[in-house]
Amino acid sequence: MTESEKNRERTIALGPASTSYRLFVVIMSFYAVISWIFIFIFPTSESTKSIFLAIDAMLSLVFLYDFLRNVITSKNRLNYLKWGWLDLLSSIPFLPLLRILRIASIIRIRRYLMQVTGKSLLSTLSEKRGESALLTTVVAIFVLVLLASIAILKLEVDAPYGNIDDANDAMWWVWVTMTTVGYGDRVPVTSSGRFIGFILMTAGVAMVGVLTGYLANAFSPKTAKREQQLDDIEREIIEIKRLLMDQQTTVETKEDNLTSDE
């Protein structure tokens, strides 16, 4: 079996999913690997490491969902599980050391994405704006929670009269601020900390709007049917391109053999 045929089988075994979802999984896998580097390689303070570990626990739930989704929707579950067990191991919560196994997922999905042209990707993102906006929002939430938690802790932990003292306080404040709840039990006292709060509140309003719009759109029967049709068409186009590339490779190989015989 040629390498292209193996890649084709791996892609089919993954189960049906849009290009935007595959891209989302790759981005989150990169995110997990970067977190792993900061947890185990780069010297960081205990409070910063605690934030990375908390984010890692949330990431594991995303990867566990992806694994279960692939198992349920895969056309060939046994073929998927030949290497899908790496996905399972890398999704176990509270074991951040295993998150480095997401590199296998990055490599696997990268082969799939290499078959997708930039024009095709932009077309997919445009046609599936709701899903793309939702996945972008999820990525933005993870990034904002991580960066804002680290930043607010650095700014407030030594501030006079400050009450954000550890990683738990920082993440709690970031989350209630971003969701626009604002309990008021933890508040920044520095100007820089309040500016971060302003950014979080503004981003939170936008994210709530995106999530509300997506849910309203998802419950429309016509929209769901159209999304499924677009998914089917996209998979068929990618499959046809892959077959054409395999055929072209075969023809070029035969031509090379004929040339060498002459």
Side-chain angles (χ1 to χ4, degrees), residues 2-247:
T2 64
E3 187 63 27
S4 59
E5 289 173 339
K6 290 179 181 178
N7 291 340
R8 179 170 171 267
E9 284 193 2
R10 294 188 186 114
T11 302
I12 293 173
L14 276 173
S18 65
T19 301
S20 55
Y21 177 79
R22 298 292 182 215
L23 186 59
F24 165 75
V25 173
V26 168
I27 292 172
M28 298 305 283
S29 297
F30 269 117
Y31 189 88
V33 172
I34 292 171
S35 295
W36 184 92
I37 292 172
F38 275 95
I39 292 172
F40 294 105
I41 297 179
F42 285 172
T44 56
S45 65
E46 287 301 316
S47 57
T48 301
K49 188 175 292 186
S50 297
I51 293 172
F52 273 108
L53 288 171
I55 296 294
D56 179 83
M58 291 188 285
L59 274 174
S60 66
L61 298 178
V62 174
F63 298 139
L64 185 59
Y65 164 79
D66 181 59
F67 170 76
L68 294 174
R69 184 184 187 281
N70 285 328
V71 170
I72 294 171
T73 62
S74 177
K75 295 180 180 179
N76 190 337
R77 292 177 184 174
L78 289 177
N79 191 25
Y80 168 67
L81 291 174
K82 288 179 183 178
W83 38 263
W85 60 272
L86 293 171
D87 292 345
L88 176 60
L89 286 179
S90 66
S91 65
I92 298 176
F94 308 113
L95 289 177
L97 185 64
L98 296 177
R99 228 62 72 216
I100 193 65
L101 297 176
R102 294 308 302 180
I103 291 177
S105 179
I106 293 172
I107 295 172
R108 186 169 63 247
I109 300 177
R110 173 181 167 275
R111 291 168 179 163
Y112 165 82
L113 293 175
M114 285 177 65
Q115 308 293 330
V116 181
T117 63
K119 185 177 180 180
S120 174
L121 177 60
L122 290 175
S123 176
T124 301
L125 295 178
S126 176
E127 289 290 340
K128 300 176 74 64
R129 288 188 295 270
E131 181 187 59
S132 301
L134 176 66
L135 297 177
T136 302
T137 300
V138 173
V139 173
I141 288 172
F142 273 94
V143 173
L144 273 177
V145 170
L146 174 66
L147 297 182
S149 297
I150 293 174
I152 200 68
L153 187 59
K154 297 291 185 185
L155 292 169
E156 298 289 326
V157 69
D158 295 323
Y161 309 108
N163 57 10
I164 299 177
D165 302 319
D166 55 29
N168 290 333
D169 290 343
M171 295 192 71
W172 170 253
W173 175 81
V174 167
W175 189 253
V176 297
T177 303
M178 193 164 60
T179 55
T180 68
V181 175
Y183 279 111
D185 56 341
R186 294 288 183 271
V187 293
V189 296
T190 63
S191 298
S192 300
R194 289 172 179 170
F195 179 71
I196 292 175
F198 167 76
I199 294 174
L200 287 175
M201 285 184 285
T202 305
V205 171
M207 290 175 183
V208 170
V210 170
L211 294 174
T212 303
Y214 177 81
L215 290 174
N217 195 45
F219 283 103
S220 171
K222 291 183 178 179
T223 301
K225 184 177 180 181
R226 183 169 176 271
E227 293 284 339
Q228 183 59 47
Q229 290 174 341
L230 289 173
D231 283 343
D232 294 340
I233 292 171
E234 182 185 3
R235 286 196 300 274
E236 289 175 4
I237 291 173
I238 291 174
E239 182 65 19
I240 291 171
K241 286 181 62 178
R242 191 175 288 110
L243 290 172
L244 288 173
M245 290 179 67
D246 291 346
Q247 204 168 27

